[in-house]
Amino acid sequence: MAEENIVCTFCGSVCDDGQFDTEKFKSKKLCKLGSSKFSKKERIKAPMIDGKEVSYEEAIEKAAEILVNAKKPLLYGWASTVNEAIRLGVILTEKVRGVYDQCASVCHAPGTLAVIEEGLPGGSLGAVKNRADVVIFWGSNPMEAHPRHGMRYSISAKGLLIKDRKQRKVIVVDVRPTKTAKLADEFVQIKPGYDYPIISALRAIISGNADAVPDEVGGVSKEKLVELAETMKNAKYGVIFYGLGVTQSRGRDRNIENAVKLIQLLNRHTRWIIWPMRGHYNVVGAGEVPAWEAGYQYAIDFSRGYPRFSPAEFSAVEVLKRRDCDAALIIASDPVAHFPRTAVKHLKSISVIQIDPFPNMTTLVANVVIPSAVAGLEAEGTAYRMDGIPLRVKKIVETNYWSDEQILEKLLEKVEELKR
Amino acid sequence: MHHALHIKNGIVIDPKNGVKAEKMDIFVKDGKIVEESEVKGEDVKVIDASNKLVVAGGVDMHAHIAGSKINTGRTMRPEEMRVVRNIANKFRAAVGRVLLTSPAIGYEYAKMGYTSSFEAAQPPIGALHTHEELDAIPMIDKAALPVFGNWHFVFKYVEAKDIEKLKTFIAWALERTKGFGVKVVNPGGVEAWMYGGNVKSLDDQVPSFNVTPREIITSLIKAVEELKLNHSVHIHCNRLGVPGNYETTIETIKLAGGFSNDARQVLHVTHVQFNAYAGDSWRTVSSGAEEIAKTVNSMDNVTIDMGQPIFGHATAMTGDAPFQFTLHRLTGARWSNKDSEVEGGAGIVPLVYLPKNPVHALQWAIGLELGLLIDSDKVVLTTDYPNGGPFTEYPYIMAMLMSKKMREGELEKVSPYVQKASNLPAIDTEKALEEVIHMTRSLPARILGLPQKGHLGVGADADIAIYNLNPLEIDTSNDFEKVYKAFKTAEYTIKSGRILVKNGELVDEHWGKTYWVDATGKVDMEAIKPDLEDYFKYYSVELQNYGVEERWLKKPERIVI
Ligand code: SF4
Ligand SMILES: [Zn+2]
């Protein structure tokens, strides 16, 4: 049977127009990344304690014991699961007085810091598709990371005012010619680490202080910058989509802050918005849910019984590097593969619980492994697209795996029992 | 657990049922208010309410408590989250200064004796997010008003003068968003913002649509009245926050003239304080409250709420995106914006109301003027949380409306500008306790069209607040501090027959209902199907994936029209 309008749970584009043939177990319309997720993949077979297969109940019981006996557990991951599971995770962290952190802390967190400094003048992807006549990808490369973003929302997408690709000018600003740059009308190559001064130069030109701009900034000629500034000012509705190229290069949150100031300035002339190209399909939910439950998006310490936010102290990497946690629950993520060595070293020395549909490097160090259903395929729930638009991901095939939500519900119940 | 209660010897004020401070017993069974005979033979818990005020639980008809706006506000303002209200124990950790976390919202309302709150601006495509947050608020009943005034479908049906299709679309939208009623925010103006502009009068044309704000408003009123929805059109007027806007507000109010409804108003104008400015610049600004009050008082089909500013921190968050940008330019504060598909937009800007700032003091005075000059049967007490400040200061407004002496004391602390720019100092009116109870309970319940809320008659929901205040003895003119203190924390808050708060402390947790209105039975849903299928090409999600199913909500309560 063919399922229509399935929602892809791979990247932050969260395309909701997929098709899935349940007999052939094959998706249609999704990109390579998406269709790989929606295919038969290697799975964790069964729950395990220290490598021995056990029942879900036994694994959850053991996980509850580890969390309750820990002085300060770290609960990390969350970007690739649904809001219902995340909410239980936040409540669980509060209950065991641990630290909640999510994948954003190692990628887009500087964007959140910039929101705190300057706000986020943005719009939905539908607004971009309908109105944007100038689209700038700054340090972001959707053709590799969000393959259908361009077609659905930003490059060739047709909308209310933009009826044709020719009516939209696409500009890529990056340190190297990316796949997206090949599709762009213009590519501005900059020297690595020069985002901040280039943005400052654009601000100077747009506010009438071009005199202050030297002949060349970060590898871009003044002439080119003036031209770019003119394009921006003359846009009817422009958008900057920024990526890790900006958040993870020199300047980090200051780069974004500066870019937001540029957008503030541009809105005095015409309409502009800015938005981060978020990676995992529900990394937005992993920040939004704790924001309403506990007031903050990430790096939240509950050890005093109430939430405290401090990225420099309570992000997972910092907590691990400081050896400030004595157990960890890792869900839908692979810190062993991606964290710095000192952080991984501490992770290897403490009790680790893993909840994930797929085996990864972290599975190898986990004491308790709890396999879960794949959200969007075997389990339903709510996810937020990169622009915060909520979509309900679907259950389209049956499974014996428990969903993240079921596992966490039971785990929370067990923890409450043990704490009583 | 007891499932019956006997509230004994309390002094009851119940304006809807004409009870003015009478010693009376109230009986509760299975979450409802019942006759005494109904609890005979039951395991009844008796609550001694001697010398205490017994009223219905408070109803907040306009607050921003859930969804992408308040949550972006939280993200943008971690400094707001450093006030710890509860350490995790039997109850959830709760934090927040003015912006509160979802658990804190529920707890703070309950502690104040409020038992229902309505999210006043739900971006339709974000409905699922709004409902997730509503479902994270404990203690109270709730609902959300989706925003219609800049939605392209509305423009198209108004342009075509097709009221039937407009009605069908409203029914479709309420069903899809699990919404309660029709909210309108700066009709046409937010669409103009997509091109960097705004509308400046009721007769400006909306860019690329052949419609005006006037036509949008009247068509929506007509459609809502023909559908007979519980709640009327609920409008945030054009030109909010602009000196001279009171004239537009009056013109808007008068648009209700041609309509009538036996049960309620046909137009509710919200947070009018922000739309009640005379003068032509911030230097010459003055109060337009008196003129607005005259207009509202002269009509029998319009109600308003105050939007009272409270001195201190606040966060402006509205669907009025162009206004939010103007505010950002004015104050230089952080600014978030969200243009939303073909539905409208929103913005968020932090702000602080300072008593010595002439404009802020004037805003404060105008809010109070409206509360005092308008009939108590037509004005509801709100702060437009968190735009005017915290809802936890409702007791301050209640006390102020009842005491000229309190107002005189407060007037001494604020900028002298209010002396010449507003009439507040000259107003002698002191509202009676019953009036203030009406403005916070029975009136908002009537305006929303919720017959089971806001009163203590048999059959009503057993949402009850008991305050340490004897209405037979209290001198509300002079003992305003006592009044303020009493309303700040309830002795008891009872929700659906369960005691949630005792002596101002939380004692039990409860998950309230989410009301939504289903009018799909009154229209032919097929009629707009081709339009939806066609126009959804301008969305970035599929029509089939748009909206919220009832089974995704924690405790949905469907009201069938
Ligand atoms: S672009 Fe992203 S969401 Fe869309 S199909 Fe590809 S992986 Fe899935
Ligand atoms: Zn409001």
Side-chain angles (χ1 to χ4, degrees):
Chain A
M1 210 187 75
E3 297 280 338
E4 299 285 331
N5 301 315
I6 67 155
V7 182
C8 179
T9 49
F10 187 77
C11 87
S13 286
V14 196
C15 303
D16 74 329
D17 59 345
Q19 291 169 351
F20 191 82
D21 187 324
T22 44
E23 263 127 57
K24 293 194 191 123
F25 211 90
K26 204 173 160 10
S27 68
K28 262 197 221 148
K29 281 176 99 169
L30 304 184
C31 73
K32 243 207 228 146
L33 301 174
S35 46
S36 143
K37 178 146 186 183
F38 282 74
S39 63
K40 287 236 159 44
K41 289 180 72 172
E42 191 201 345
R43 300 289 289 270
I44 301 170
K45 274 216 272 343
M48 290 182 287
I49 300 176
D50 297 324
K52 214 176 115 238
E53 290 193 6
V54 294
S55 68
Y56 268 103
E57 287 79 0
E58 285 166 310
I60 290 169
E61 174 108 42
K62 179 72 187 166
E65 276 167 24
I66 291 172
L67 291 174
V68 169
N69 292 330
K71 275 204 207 70
K72 197 200 245 185
L74 166 70
L75 291 85
Y76 175 80
W78 311 107
S80 292
T81 185
V82 292
N83 286 358
E84 290 74 5
I86 296 165
R87 176 163 190 262
L88 292 166
V90 176
I91 297 172
L92 178 65
T93 316
E94 183 181 302
K95 205 111 279 156
V96 299
R97 303 204 164 190
V99 171
Y100 174 97
D101 194 33
Q102 44 112 346
C103 302
S105 81
V106 292
C107 54
H108 264 287
T112 309
L113 293 179
V115 176
I116 294 168
E117 292 299 326
E118 288 296 335
L120 179 59
S124 75
L125 294 173
V128 171
K129 128 173 162 164
N130 284 324
R131 302 179 190 278
D133 58 343
V134 178
V135 176
I136 299 180
F137 293 101
W138 197 306
S140 66
N141 181 13
M143 290 318 290
E144 304 272 8
H146 306 86
R148 297 183 73 225
H149 190 283
M151 180 203 120
R152 280 173 57 80
Y153 316 119
S154 55
I155 300 173
S156 52
K158 294 184 184 73
L160 190 66
L161 305 180
I162 307 299
K163 304 280 183 201
D164 191 286
R165 170 70 180 83
K166 287 193 204 78
Q167 289 172 286
R168 178 178 282 139
K169 184 159 192 174
V170 177
I171 301 168
V172 168
V173 180
D174 216 315
V175 295
R176 68 184 76 83
T178 60
K179 224 172 144 184
T180 310
K182 292 201 186 84
L183 287 181
D185 300 295
E186 210 169 303
F187 171 54
V188 181
Q189 187 156 6
I190 67 170
K191 276 201 227 152
Y194 278 83
D195 303 85
Y196 191 96
I198 289 170
I199 296 164
S200 295
L202 290 169
R203 285 176 61 196
I205 297 164
I206 291 164
S207 56
N209 299 307
D211 321 347
V213 176
D215 289 344
E216 184 240 283
V217 182
V220 188
S221 71
K222 181 170 178 177
E223 202 187 336
K224 184 86 218 161
L225 288 168
V226 170
E227 193 192 308
L228 185 56
E230 279 307 307
T231 307
M232 293 180 94
K233 256 173 93 170
N234 292 330
K236 288 200 188 79
Y237 189 104
V239 54
I240 294 178
F241 284 118
Y242 69 88
L244 297 183
V246 189
T247 59
Q248 296 302 325
S249 72
R250 190 171 70 189
R252 296 166 66 94
D253 50 303
R254 298 294 166 197
N255 296 336
I256 317 300
E257 217 183 294
N258 209 11
V260 171
K261 285 186 176 149
L262 171 64
I263 297 294
Q264 292 171 356
L265 178 66
L266 281 164
N267 275 287
R268 283 157 167 76
H269 301 277
T270 179
R271 281 306 315 284
W272 271 82
I273 61 169
I274 182 166
W275 205 266
M277 296 285 278
R278 309 298 301 269
H280 299 292
Y281 80 90
N282 195 28
V283 68
V284 175
E288 291 288 318
V289 176
W292 77 62
E293 292 292 341
Y296 309 110
Q297 291 230 356
Y298 68 105
I300 312 168
D301 174 291
F302 286 97
S303 61
R304 295 188 186 164
Y306 59 86
R308 288 182 301 153
F309 169 64
S310 178
E313 283 177 276
F314 306 139
S315 67
V317 170
E318 295 303 322
V319 168
L320 286 166
K321 279 206 301 222
R322 232 180 23 246
R323 303 198 214 162
D324 197 14
C325 61
D326 52 353
L329 183 151
I330 308 294
I331 177 163
S333 144
D334 190 8
V336 172
H338 300 119
F339 276 13
R341 218 156 19 122
T342 43
V344 175
K345 196 171 159 216
H346 183 62
L347 194 61
K348 283 180 176 163
S349 73
I350 58 176
S351 297
V352 174
I353 304 153
Q354 184 192 35
I355 305 175
D356 209 303
F358 308 110
N360 58 28
M361 300 276 283
T362 303
T363 317
L364 302 175
V365 310
N367 305 74
V368 180
V369 176
I370 309 176
S372 62
V374 179
L377 182 66
E378 302 164 338
E380 63 176 338
T382 305
Y384 291 170
R385 203 167 66 185
M386 63 165 70
D387 56 347
I389 297 297
L391 282 156
R392 185 83 179 179
V393 310
K394 296 169 190 178
K395 175 179 175 152
I396 44 189
V397 298
E398 288 303 322
T399 181
N400 291 323
Y401 288 111
W402 291 23
S403 69
D404 292 330
E405 187 184 358
Q406 271 174 300
I407 293 165
L408 285 157
E409 202 166 7
K410 195 81 194 160
L411 183 53
L412 183 59
E413 209 181 285
K414 274 278 163 243
V415 163
E416 277 170 344
E417 235 174 78
L418 291 174
K419 289 215 117 183
R420 221 169 271 141
Chain B
M1 206 188 75
H2 305 274
H3 66 277
L5 299 175
H6 176 184
I7 301 165
K8 210 169 167 175
N9 290 332
I11 317 295
V12 174
I13 296 182
D14 185 11
K16 183 177 178 182
N17 298 304
V19 182
K20 293 179 186 172
E22 284 170 37
K23 193 163 165 181
M24 240 174 95
D25 288 5
I26 303 280
F27 301 91
V28 169
K29 198 178 127 181
D30 298 332
K32 295 275 177 194
I33 295 182
V34 296
E35 304 277 7
E36 181 172 4
S37 57
E38 291 260 334
V39 299
K40 286 253 157 61
E42 300 280 343
D43 173 18
V44 179
K45 176 169 172 65
V46 178
I47 295 173
D48 179 10
S50 304
N51 302 317
K52 308 235 157 99
L53 170 65
V54 178
V55 294
V59 177
D60 195 344
M61 66 169 296
H62 187 113
H64 302 278
I65 55 171
S68 52
K69 282 198 298 303
I70 184 168
N71 221 32
T72 302
R74 293 177 183 117
T75 299
M76 198 163 114
R77 306 197 69 187
E79 74 274 18
E80 277 285 309
M81 295 300 153
R82 299 206 178 106
V83 175
V84 180
R85 292 172 182 265
N86 192 57
I87 292 183
N89 44 23
K90 186 181 165 197
F91 299 92
R92 292 285 310 283
V95 299
R97 180 170 62 190
V98 175
L99 293 180
L100 306 173
T101 56
S102 307
I105 288 172
Y107 296 161
E108 293 302 317
Y109 269 125
K111 283 198 255 174
M112 204 171 58
Y114 267 64
T115 48
S116 306
S117 181
F118 276 54
E119 164 54 51
Q122 180 190 43
I125 195 170
L128 181 52
H129 179 169
T130 308
H131 281 291
E132 285 185 277
E133 285 197 38
L134 287 177
D135 274 353
I137 299 175
M139 314 309 239
I140 58 174
D141 287 340
K142 48 239 165 174
L145 303 176
V147 182
F148 283 81
N150 290 281
W151 206 339
H152 286 196
F153 286 105
V154 172
F155 292 157
K156 285 170 78 74
Y157 294 136
V158 172
E159 196 172 44
K161 301 196 174 15
D162 195 335
I163 295 293
E164 277 315 307
K165 278 192 174 176
L166 184 60
K167 281 159 64 182
T168 311
F169 177 71
I170 290 170
W172 174 82
L174 291 179
E175 191 282 324
R176 284 291 75 206
T177 60
K178 297 297 171 282
F180 186 84
V182 174
K183 174 77 183 298
V184 180
V185 176
N186 185 5
V190 185
E191 179 64 21
W193 165 243
M194 301 304 155
Y195 304 84
N198 198 346
V199 294
K200 296 193 173 53
S201 84
L202 287 182
D203 298 309
D204 278 17
Q205 198 204 308
V206 179
S208 77
F209 289 92
N210 192 17
V211 292
T212 62
R214 182 189 301 277
E215 290 160 352
I216 299 167
I217 298 164
T218 48
S219 305
L220 284 170
I221 297 177
K222 192 165 196 308
V224 167
E225 291 313 309
E226 287 185 15
L227 283 170
K228 295 195 167 58
L229 300 184
N230 290 49
H231 185 37
S232 68
V233 167
H234 184 131
I235 191 170
H236 156 143
C237 289
N238 299 105
R239 300 184 72 217
L240 179 133
V242 181
N245 61 11
Y246 85 102
E247 288 177 348
T248 308
T249 309
I250 288 173
E251 266 187 87
T252 306
I253 291 169
K254 287 184 174 160
L255 296 179
F259 304 93
S260 71
N261 184 313
D262 295 339
R264 53 152 176 80
Q265 78 294 342
V266 298
L267 184 64
H268 179 79
V269 188
T270 191
H271 46 65
V272 172
Q273 177 275 128
F274 295 106
N275 283 78
Y277 310 143
D280 46 28
S281 77
W282 288 115
R283 232 162 285 147
T284 61
V285 66
S286 64
S287 170
E290 207 173 285
E291 293 303 312
I292 290 179
K294 265 189 221 153
T295 313
V296 174
N297 289 341
S298 74
M299 297 181 69
D300 58 4
N301 55 1
V302 175
T303 53
I304 74 145
D305 65 87
M306 295 163 72
Q308 174 65 37
I310 302 292
F311 291 122
H313 292 279
T315 306
M317 51 180 68
T318 71
D320 197 341
F323 159 72
Q324 298 289 156
F325 179 65
T326 309
L327 187 62
H328 153 72
R329 285 194 71 172
L330 207 62
T331 64
R334 286 166 272 182
W335 167 56
S336 288
N337 176 82
K338 187 75 174 283
D339 301 332
S340 188
E341 309 281 304
V342 286
E343 298 185 343
I348 304 145
V349 177
L351 84 173
V352 55
Y353 295 100
L354 302 167
K356 297 293 183 201
N357 175 308
V359 172
H360 298 168
L362 178 66
Q363 292 180 297
W364 167 87
I366 291 173
L368 292 164
E369 282 184 88
L370 292 165
L372 290 162
L373 297 175
I374 295 177
D375 292 351
S376 304
D377 199 35
K378 292 177 183 167
V379 55
V380 174
L381 201 146
T382 62
T383 56
D384 187 19
Y385 170 79
N387 287 284
F391 62 78
T392 49
E393 285 302 317
Y394 286 174
Y396 168 84
I397 308 171
M398 295 167 86
M400 287 284 274
L401 294 176
M402 291 189 281
S403 168
K404 171 138 210 266
K405 197 168 160 192
M406 180 177 179
R407 296 199 295 270
E408 281 165 356
E410 294 290 290
L411 273 164
E412 279 171 25
K413 299 184 210 156
V414 310
S415 161
Y417 187 71
V418 300
Q419 300 288 341
K420 60 169 189 191
S422 89
N423 284 316
L424 183 65
I427 298 174
D428 292 327
T429 308
E430 292 188 323
K431 298 259 176 183
L433 193 51
E434 294 110 73
E435 291 177 283
V436 174
I437 295 300
H438 182 49
M439 289 163 72
T440 51
R441 273 93 179 151
S442 30
L443 177 60
R446 186 187 79 205
I447 292 173
L448 291 166
L450 290 173
Q452 75 282 24
K453 295 281 179 210
H455 71 105
L456 298 174
V458 167
D461 288 347
D463 300 349
I464 305 164
I466 304 176
Y467 295 104
N468 188 9
L469 192 75
N470 184 341
L472 299 172
E473 284 170 6
I474 189 78
D475 171 0
T476 50
S477 305
N478 291 302
D479 292 340
F480 48 85
E481 271 168 24
K482 209 172 155 190
V483 170
Y484 172 71
K485 226 182 120 208
F487 282 119
K488 208 54 188 157
T489 42
E491 285 269 302
Y492 281 90
T493 302
I494 296 161
K495 174 82 201 63
S496 301
R498 281 168 66 171
I499 301 171
L500 302 186
V501 173
K502 202 172 158 183
N503 300 323
E505 299 283 330
L506 306 172
V507 293
D508 194 6
E509 191 162 78
H510 168 83
W511 292 94
K513 299 177 180 126
T514 300
Y515 295 102
W516 70 276
V517 168
D518 185 354
T520 54
K522 292 201 75 172
V523 292
D524 172 18
M525 295 295 277
E526 290 298 310
I528 59 164
K529 223 174 143 192
D531 298 349
L532 288 171
E533 276 161 7
D534 175 46
Y535 213 74
F536 251 76
K537 63 177 181 269
Y538 299 134
Y539 271 88
S540 61
V541 301
E542 300 295 314
L543 176 58
Q544 291 74 12
N545 286 328
Y546 187 93
V548 180
E549 298 301 329
E550 200 170 33
R551 70 179 176 87
W552 303 342
L553 306 188
K554 196 176 260 166
K555 263 173 112 176
E557 182 82 4
R558 171 167 163 244
I559 300 171
V560 180
I561 303 281

